[in-house]
Amino acid sequence: MKILQNLALITQLNHISSSPRNLYLLSAASLSSSGIMDQASQNENRSSDSGDLNSSKGSKLYSDNIIPRLLNLYGERPRARDFEIYADNATFEDPLMCAHGVKQIKSAFYTIPKVFSESGIVEYTVKEEIISPGKNEIFIDNKQHYKFWGRNIDMISLIVLSVEDGKVVRHEDRWDKKPLRNRENLPVLGRLLEMSRRGSMLATHVIMGFGKDPFS
């Protein structure tokens, strides 16, 4: 662009008087034009950088807030405030139960200290992925420990949490890191297993007083 401007300037010089005043005016016009172009380029670059920064807004990690509460749920005394990590319509599913809503999720976890004398996640690593602004997935590779009638039970698990705007909307506990068997991977048997998990959950929900909080 500057080369073309200089050529135009030379052409103009060939057609006008070479007085100092005219040369000064032409030089000033060239510098002014060049300055305007440079400033426009800088503004464009700033605008582009600002757009990149704005596109990253809304990307947030939630695991730091969720994991401590989740560890309490798998422990021996889950409390009502620990369930605040869930959205009202959240679901929880493992190979034994399928809970819909926070009340049923409470019933599922409140059974743990009633069945086991010891329970908890003893080892874990966390990986969190941003799916889209406000939507994340958290993967917790973990080892769970339980004691049942004096017998120690250790289990490897992969917990998968789907999170929207900081709240867990789906919680899967995949024992032995195996996907839950359902109608998607086992069309016939999967449906029966889903019905069995729902039936087990509803029975547990009744026994546990429909999600009544036993601890403050």
Side-chain angles (χ1 to χ4, degrees):
M1 179 63 73
K2 289 184 178 180
I3 294 175
L4 294 176
Q5 291 173 350
N6 290 334
L7 290 174
L9 180 60
I10 293 171
T11 302
Q12 293 177 20
L13 286 172
N14 291 331
H15 291 83
I16 64 175
S17 171
S18 58
S19 68
R21 176 175 175 78
N22 287 339
L23 290 174
Y24 171 79
L25 291 174
L26 288 172
S27 298
S30 177
L31 290 173
S32 176
S33 175
S34 176
I36 291 172
M37 294 298 295
D38 290 343
Q39 184 65 36
S41 177
Q42 291 175 7
N43 290 340
E44 183 178 354
N45 290 336
R46 290 195 190 105
S47 177
S48 176
D49 292 341
S50 176
D52 292 340
L53 290 173
N54 289 335
S55 66
S56 66
K57 289 183 179 179
S59 300
K60 184 177 180 181
L61 300 180
Y62 301 108
S63 54
D64 287 345
N65 295 328
I66 292 174
I67 298 302
R69 299 291 181 90
L70 189 75
L71 294 177
N72 290 341
L73 295 182
Y74 281 86
E76 298 171 18
R77 286 179 65 87
R79 299 183 180 276
R81 61 177 176 269
D82 296 323
F83 294 91
E84 294 174 359
I85 62 174
Y86 293 101
D88 292 339
N89 61 341
T91 62
F92 163 77
E93 192 167 6
D94 66 11
L96 292 181
M97 298 183 185
C98 180
H100 292 177
V102 176
K103 287 288 188 181
Q104 290 187 12
I105 295 174
K106 285 184 175 183
S107 292
F109 280 97
Y110 284 152
T111 60
I112 293 178
K114 293 186 176 296
V115 175
F116 302 100
S117 58
E118 294 180 8
S119 66
I121 293 176
V122 293
E123 298 176 11
Y124 68 94
T125 58
V126 178
K127 178 183 178 182
E128 183 168 5
E129 295 181 356
I130 297 174
I131 307 303
S132 62
K135 292 185 178 181
N136 295 19
E137 280 196 346
I138 301 173
F139 302 88
I140 307 166
D141 194 337
N142 69 96
K143 178 181 178 181
Q144 300 174 17
H145 171 77
Y146 301 93
K147 180 172 282 190
F148 180 71
W149 283 19
R151 179 187 175 188
N152 291 319
I153 302 172
D154 293 317
M155 180 177 66
I156 300 300
S157 165
L158 177 64
I159 296 173
V160 181
L161 305 177
S162 298
V163 182
E164 294 184 6
D165 298 323
K167 294 288 187 178
V168 177
V169 295
R170 179 162 178 79
H171 174 175
E172 286 189 13
D173 194 343
R174 302 174 181 177
W175 297 356
D176 297 322
K177 302 183 183 181
K178 296 179 180 178
L180 295 173
R181 292 184 291 179
N182 51 40
R183 68 186 68 190
E184 294 180 1
N185 47 44
L186 293 171
V188 178
L189 180 60
R191 289 177 182 271
L192 296 176
L193 292 173
E194 288 179 359
M195 293 173 60
S196 175
R197 289 196 288 267
R198 283 299 292 151
S200 176
M201 181 67 253
L202 293 176
T204 301
H205 196 41
V206 173
I207 294 171
M208 296 305 298
F210 300 96
K212 182 180 179 181
D213 298 317
F215 309 118
S216 59

Coordinates of all heavy atoms in Angstrom, one line a residue, residues 13-61:
L13 N 4.0 14.8 -8.4 CA 5.1 15.8 -8.4 C 5.5 16.1 -9.8 O 6.0 17.2 -10.1 CB 6.4 15.1 -7.7 CG 6.3 15.1 -6.2 CD1 7.4 14.3 -5.6 CD2 6.3 16.5 -5.6
N14 N 5.3 15.2 -10.7 CA 5.7 15.5 -12.1 C 4.7 16.5 -12.8 O 5.0 17.0 -13.9 CB 5.7 14.2 -13.0 CG 6.8 13.3 -12.6 OD1 7.9 13.8 -12.1 ND2 6.6 12.0 -12.7
H15 N 3.5 16.7 -12.2 CA 2.5 17.6 -12.8 C 2.3 18.9 -12.1 O 1.5 19.7 -12.5 CB 1.2 16.8 -12.8 CG 1.2 15.7 -13.8 ND1 1.6 14.4 -13.5 CD2 0.8 15.6 -15.1 CE1 1.5 13.6 -14.5 NE2 1.0 14.3 -15.5
I16 N 3.0 19.1 -10.9 CA 2.8 20.3 -10.2 C 4.1 21.0 -10.0 O 5.2 20.4 -10.2 CB 2.1 20.1 -8.9 CG1 3.0 19.2 -8.0 CG2 0.8 19.4 -9.0 CD1 2.5 19.1 -6.6
S17 N 4.1 22.2 -9.5 CA 5.3 23.0 -9.3 C 6.0 22.3 -8.1 O 5.5 21.7 -7.2 CB 4.9 24.4 -8.9 OG 6.1 25.1 -8.4
S18 N 7.4 22.4 -8.2 CA 8.2 21.8 -7.2 C 8.6 22.8 -6.1 O 9.7 22.7 -5.5 CB 9.5 21.2 -7.8 OG 10.2 22.3 -8.5
S19 N 7.7 23.7 -5.8 CA 7.9 24.7 -4.8 C 7.9 24.0 -3.4 O 7.3 23.0 -3.2 CB 6.8 25.8 -4.8 OG 5.6 25.2 -4.4
P20 N 8.7 24.5 -2.4 CA 8.7 23.9 -1.1 C 7.4 23.8 -0.5 O 7.1 22.8 0.2 CB 9.6 24.9 -0.3 CG 10.5 25.6 -1.4 CD 9.6 25.7 -2.6
R21 N 6.5 24.7 -0.7 CA 5.2 24.6 0.0 C 4.4 23.4 -0.6 O 3.8 22.7 0.2 CB 4.4 25.9 -0.3 CG 3.0 25.8 0.3 CD 2.2 27.2 0.1 NE 0.9 27.1 0.6 CZ 0.5 27.0 1.8 NH1 1.3 27.1 2.8 NH2 -0.8 26.9 2.1
N22 N 4.4 23.3 -1.9 CA 3.7 22.1 -2.5 C 4.3 20.8 -2.1 O 3.6 19.8 -1.8 CB 3.7 22.2 -4.0 CG 2.8 23.3 -4.5 OD1 1.9 23.8 -3.8 ND2 3.0 23.8 -5.7
L23 N 5.6 20.7 -2.0 CA 6.3 19.5 -1.6 C 5.9 19.2 -0.2 O 5.7 18.0 0.2 CB 7.8 19.6 -1.7 CG 8.3 19.6 -3.2 CD1 9.8 19.9 -3.2 CD2 8.0 18.3 -3.9
Y24 N 5.8 20.2 0.7 CA 5.5 20.0 2.1 C 4.1 19.5 2.2 O 3.8 18.5 3.0 CB 5.6 21.3 2.8 CG 5.1 21.3 4.3 CD1 5.8 20.7 5.3 CD2 3.8 21.8 4.5 CE1 5.3 20.6 6.6 CE2 3.3 21.7 5.8 CZ 4.1 21.1 6.8 OH 3.6 21.1 8.1
L25 N 3.1 20.1 1.5 CA 1.7 19.6 1.5 C 1.6 18.2 1.1 O 0.8 17.4 1.7 CB 0.9 20.6 0.7 CG 0.7 22.0 1.2 CD1 -0.1 22.8 0.2 CD2 0.0 22.0 2.5
L26 N 2.3 17.8 0.0 CA 2.2 16.5 -0.5 C 2.8 15.5 0.5 O 2.2 14.4 0.8 CB 2.9 16.3 -1.8 CG 2.2 17.0 -3.0 CD1 3.1 17.0 -4.2 CD2 0.9 16.3 -3.3
S27 N 3.9 15.8 1.1 CA 4.5 14.9 2.1 C 3.6 14.8 3.3 O 3.5 13.7 3.9 CB 5.9 15.5 2.5 OG 6.7 15.6 1.4
A28 N 3.0 15.9 3.8 CA 2.1 15.8 4.9 C 0.9 14.9 4.6 O 0.5 14.1 5.5 CB 1.7 17.2 5.3
A29 N 0.4 15.0 3.4 CA -0.8 14.2 3.0 C -0.4 12.7 3.0 O -1.2 11.9 3.5 CB -1.3 14.6 1.7
S30 N 0.8 12.4 2.5 CA 1.2 11.0 2.5 C 1.4 10.5 3.9 O 1.0 9.4 4.2 CB 2.5 10.9 1.7 OG 3.0 9.6 1.7
L31 N 2.0 11.2 4.8 CA 2.2 10.8 6.2 C 0.9 10.6 6.9 O 0.7 9.7 7.6 CB 3.1 11.8 6.9 CG 4.6 11.8 6.5 CD1 5.3 13.0 7.2 CD2 5.3 10.5 6.8
S32 N 0.0 11.5 6.6 CA -1.3 11.5 7.3 C -2.1 10.2 6.8 O -2.7 9.5 7.6 CB -2.2 12.7 7.0 OG -3.5 12.6 7.5
S33 N -2.0 9.9 5.5 CA -2.7 8.8 5.0 C -2.1 7.5 5.6 O -2.8 6.6 6.0 CB -2.6 8.7 3.5 OG -3.2 7.6 3.0
S34 N -0.8 7.5 5.7 CA -0.1 6.3 6.2 C -0.5 6.1 7.7 O -0.7 5.0 8.1 CB 1.4 6.4 6.1 OG 2.1 5.4 6.7
G35 N -0.5 7.2 8.4 CA -0.9 7.1 9.9 C -2.3 6.6 10.1 O -2.5 5.8 11.0
I36 N -3.2 7.1 9.2 CA -4.6 6.6 9.3 C -4.7 5.1 9.1 O -5.4 4.4 9.8 CB -5.5 7.4 8.4 CG1 -5.6 8.8 8.8 CG2 -6.9 6.8 8.3 CD1 -6.3 9.8 7.8
M37 N -4.0 4.6 8.0 CA -4.0 3.2 7.7 C -3.4 2.4 8.9 O -4.0 1.3 9.2 CB -3.2 3.0 6.4 CG -3.8 3.6 5.2 SD -5.5 2.9 4.9 CE -5.1 1.2 4.5
D38 N -2.3 2.9 9.4 CA -1.7 2.1 10.5 C -2.6 2.1 11.7 O -2.7 1.0 12.4 CB -0.3 2.8 10.9 CG 0.7 2.6 9.9 OD1 0.5 1.7 9.0 OD2 1.7 3.3 9.9
Q39 N -3.2 3.2 12.0 CA -4.2 3.2 13.2 C -5.3 2.3 13.0 O -5.8 1.6 13.9 CB -4.7 4.7 13.4 CG -5.5 4.9 14.6 CD -4.8 4.6 15.9 OE1 -3.6 4.9 16.0 NE2 -5.4 4.0 16.9
A40 N -5.9 2.3 11.7 CA -7.0 1.4 11.5 C -6.6 -0.1 11.6 O -7.4 -0.9 12.1 CB -7.5 1.6 10.0
S41 N -5.4 -0.4 11.2 CA -4.9 -1.7 11.3 C -4.8 -2.1 12.8 O -5.1 -3.2 13.2 CB -3.5 -1.9 10.7 OG -3.0 -3.2 10.8
Q42 N -4.2 -1.2 13.6 CA -4.1 -1.4 15.1 C -5.5 -1.6 15.7 O -5.7 -2.5 16.5 CB -3.4 -0.3 15.7 CG -1.9 -0.2 15.4 CD -1.2 1.0 16.0 OE1 -1.8 1.7 16.8 NE2 0.0 1.3 15.5
N43 N -6.5 -0.8 15.3 CA -7.8 -0.9 15.9 C -8.4 -2.3 15.5 O -9.1 -2.9 16.3 CB -8.7 0.2 15.4 CG -8.3 1.5 16.0 OD1 -7.6 1.6 17.0 ND2 -8.7 2.6 15.3
E44 N -8.2 -2.7 14.3 CA -8.7 -4.0 13.8 C -8.1 -5.1 14.6 O -8.8 -6.1 15.0 CB -8.4 -4.2 12.3 CG -9.0 -5.5 11.8 CD -8.7 -5.6 10.3 OE1 -8.2 -4.6 9.7 OE2 -9.1 -6.7 9.7
N45 N -6.8 -5.0 14.9 CA -6.1 -6.1 15.7 C -6.7 -6.1 17.1 O -6.9 -7.2 17.7 CB -4.6 -5.9 15.7 CG -4.0 -6.1 14.4 OD1 -4.5 -6.9 13.6 ND2 -2.8 -5.5 14.1
R46 N -6.9 -4.9 17.7 CA -7.4 -4.9 19.0 C -8.8 -5.5 19.1 O -9.2 -6.2 20.0 CB -7.5 -3.4 19.5 CG -6.1 -2.8 19.8 CD -6.3 -1.5 20.6 NE -5.0 -0.8 20.7 CZ -4.7 0.3 20.0 NH1 -5.6 0.8 19.2 NH2 -3.6 0.9 20.2
S47 N -9.6 -5.2 18.1 CA -11.0 -5.7 18.0 C -11.0 -7.2 17.9 O -11.7 -7.9 18.5 CB -11.7 -5.1 16.8 OG -13.0 -5.7 16.7
S48 N -10.0 -7.8 17.1 CA -9.9 -9.2 17.0 C -9.5 -9.8 18.3 O -10.0 -10.9 18.7 CB -8.9 -9.5 15.9 OG -8.7 -10.9 15.8
D49 N -8.5 -9.2 19.0 CA -8.1 -9.8 20.3 C -9.2 -9.7 21.3 O -9.4 -10.7 22.1 CB -6.9 -8.9 20.8 CG -5.7 -9.1 20.0 OD1 -5.6 -10.1 19.2 OD2 -4.8 -8.3 20.1
S50 N -10.0 -8.7 21.3 CA -11.1 -8.6 22.2 C -12.2 -9.6 21.9 O -12.7 -10.2 22.8 CB -11.8 -7.2 22.1 OG -12.9 -7.1 22.9
G51 N -12.4 -10.0 20.6 CA -13.3 -11.0 20.3 C -12.9 -12.4 20.8 O -13.7 -13.2 21.3
D52 N -11.5 -12.6 20.7 CA -11.0 -13.9 21.3 C -11.2 -14.0 22.8 O -11.6 -15.1 23.3 CB -9.5 -14.0 20.9 CG -9.3 -14.1 19.5 OD1 -10.2 -14.5 18.8 OD2 -8.1 -13.9 19.0
L53 N -11.0 -12.9 23.5 CA -11.2 -12.9 24.9 C -12.7 -13.1 25.3 O -13.0 -13.9 26.2 CB -10.8 -11.6 25.5 CG -9.2 -11.3 25.5 CD1 -8.9 -9.9 26.0 CD2 -8.5 -12.4 26.4
N54 N -13.6 -12.5 24.5 CA -15.0 -12.6 24.8 C -15.5 -14.0 24.5 O -16.4 -14.6 25.2 CB -15.8 -11.6 24.0 CG -15.6 -10.2 24.4 OD1 -15.3 -10.0 25.6 ND2 -15.8 -9.3 23.5
S55 N -14.9 -14.7 23.5 CA -15.3 -16.0 23.2 C -15.0 -17.0 24.3 O -15.6 -18.1 24.4 CB -14.7 -16.5 21.9 OG -13.3 -16.6 22.0
S56 N -14.0 -16.7 25.1 CA -13.6 -17.6 26.2 C -14.5 -17.4 27.5 O -14.4 -18.2 28.4 CB -12.1 -17.4 26.6 OG -11.9 -16.1 27.1
K57 N -15.3 -16.4 27.5 CA -16.1 -16.1 28.7 C -17.2 -17.2 28.8 O -17.7 -17.7 27.8 CB -16.8 -14.8 28.6 CG -15.8 -13.6 28.7 CD -16.6 -12.3 28.7 CE -15.6 -11.1 28.9 NZ -16.3 -9.8 28.9
G58 N -17.5 -17.6 30.0 CA -18.5 -18.6 30.2 C -17.9 -20.0 30.4 O -18.5 -20.9 30.7
S59 N -16.6 -20.1 30.1 CA -15.9 -21.4 30.3 C -15.4 -21.4 31.8 O -14.5 -20.6 32.1 CB -14.7 -21.5 29.3 OG -15.1 -21.4 28.0
K60 N -15.9 -22.3 32.5 CA -15.6 -22.4 34.0 C -15.5 -23.8 34.4 O -16.2 -24.7 33.9 CB -16.7 -21.6 34.7 CG -16.4 -21.5 36.2 CD -17.5 -20.7 36.9 CE -17.3 -20.6 38.4 NZ -18.4 -19.8 39.0
L61 N -14.6 -24.1 35.4 CA -14.5 -25.4 36.0 C -15.3 -25.4 37.3 O -15.2 -24.5 38.1 CB -13.0 -25.7 36.2 CG -12.1 -25.7 34.9 CD1 -10.7 -26.1 35.3 CD2 -12.7 -26.7 33.9

